[in-house]
Amino acid sequence: MKARFIAALFILISLFSLAQTKANADDQAIRKSMVYFVNTIKYKKLDQTVDSIYPKFFTVVKKDQFTQMLNMTYNNPFVKIDVLDMKFISVGKPELVEGENFSISSYYLKLKADVSSMSEEMKKSISEMLTKKYGKGSVEYLDKKGAYIINAPMKMVAISEDKKTWKVVFADKEYKSQLTTVLPKKILDKL
């Protein structure tokens, strides 16, 4: 009787360990894809950034339009934006919906926006925009450097058919209406 109990306990522990290993592998693959995406922006490899995006997103926003927007944002001579850091808050367990796996992740992106070449009026306008978008506590102005430091809370959905190669799409609430034809309702309802 004691031997059966120990054997059953050993089997349960083994199954639990196997499940944890699989969950950790999914988590690591998702994190790796998201870090890759952020690094393509950080190092201004914007064509690779576009390649990291979930292809169905380009049914809503044209690929060349998205590339142009990235270039205007990250290669702008008036506002130089640099990615300083990325910190994960959470990586959601992948959910299988209609043959694809979806994982909702939250993270902080620390950005530096150099506005030193702008007029005071433009700096004020940028400050108002950043504060409205990210909240007063998330935006700091460094007067001596003429730059804003932004701790931007972000959400992203990672999508994969095979749980090995993950593509991403921004999932902040402001994009939710655009994503109705891109993401399944079950996933949209969780954003």
Side-chain angles (χ1 to χ4, degrees):
M1 180 78 162
K2 204 175 197 184
R4 283 187 184 171
F5 176 74
I6 291 173
L9 185 61
F10 179 73
I11 290 170
L12 280 173
I13 290 172
S14 296
L15 288 173
F16 180 74
S17 296
L18 184 63
Q20 286 296 101
T21 301
K22 180 64 179 153
N24 287 340
D26 292 341
D27 184 276
Q28 288 177 340
I30 294 164
R31 285 176 189 260
K32 182 179 176 183
S33 294
M34 291 179 62
V35 168
Y36 174 80
F37 173 78
V38 169
N39 280 337
T40 63
I41 294 171
K42 180 176 184 170
Y43 298 110
K44 314 265 193 268
K45 296 179 179 181
L46 302 180
D47 289 336
Q48 291 174 359
T49 304
V50 173
D51 290 341
S52 299
I53 299 290
Y54 183 49
K56 283 185 185 176
F57 178 73
F58 297 120
T59 62
V60 176
V61 177
K62 301 276 185 235
K63 198 178 224 181
D64 60 337
Q65 183 183 8
F66 186 73
T67 303
Q68 187 177 23
M69 184 208 57
L70 285 172
N71 275 313
M72 287 185 345
T73 303
Y74 294 101
N75 290 322
N76 187 326
F78 301 108
V79 180
K80 186 178 180 222
I81 297 177
D82 292 311
V83 175
L84 301 177
D85 195 17
M86 174 187 187
K87 289 194 170 123
F88 283 96
I89 300 168
S90 66
V91 175
K93 182 180 175 194
E95 250 185 274
L96 184 63
V97 181
E98 300 171 15
E100 293 182 301
N101 296 283
F102 296 84
S103 170
I104 301 171
S105 299
S106 299
Y107 61 98
Y108 281 101
L109 199 57
K110 188 173 186 178
L111 303 167
K112 178 182 174 189
D114 184 339
V115 294
S116 58
S117 64
M118 293 186 150
S119 69
E120 290 304 314
E121 185 178 318
M122 287 296 290
K123 287 179 188 178
K124 184 179 179 187
S125 177
I126 294 284
S127 176
E128 290 170 0
M129 181 203 59
L130 291 173
T131 303
K132 183 178 178 185
K133 181 169 174 72
Y134 298 114
K136 189 171 182 150
S138 297
V139 179
E140 176 187 0
Y141 183 67
L142 306 175
D143 195 29
K144 289 185 181 188
K145 294 187 179 193
Y148 290 97
I149 301 296
I150 306 132
N151 286 304
M154 310 283 280
K155 263 192 182 179
M156 196 168 280
V157 178
I159 303 105
S160 176
E161 290 180 5
D162 61 6
K163 289 189 174 183
K164 293 177 184 150
T165 306
W166 293 85
K167 298 289 184 174
V168 297
V169 68
F170 292 105
D172 295 316
K173 288 184 182 183
E174 66 191 71
Y175 301 112
K176 193 171 180 177
S177 64
Q178 293 177 312
L179 298 174
T180 56
T181 59
V182 177
L183 299 173
K185 184 177 181 340
K186 183 177 183 180
I187 301 302
L188 281 171
D189 289 345
K190 294 181 180 187
L191 299 180

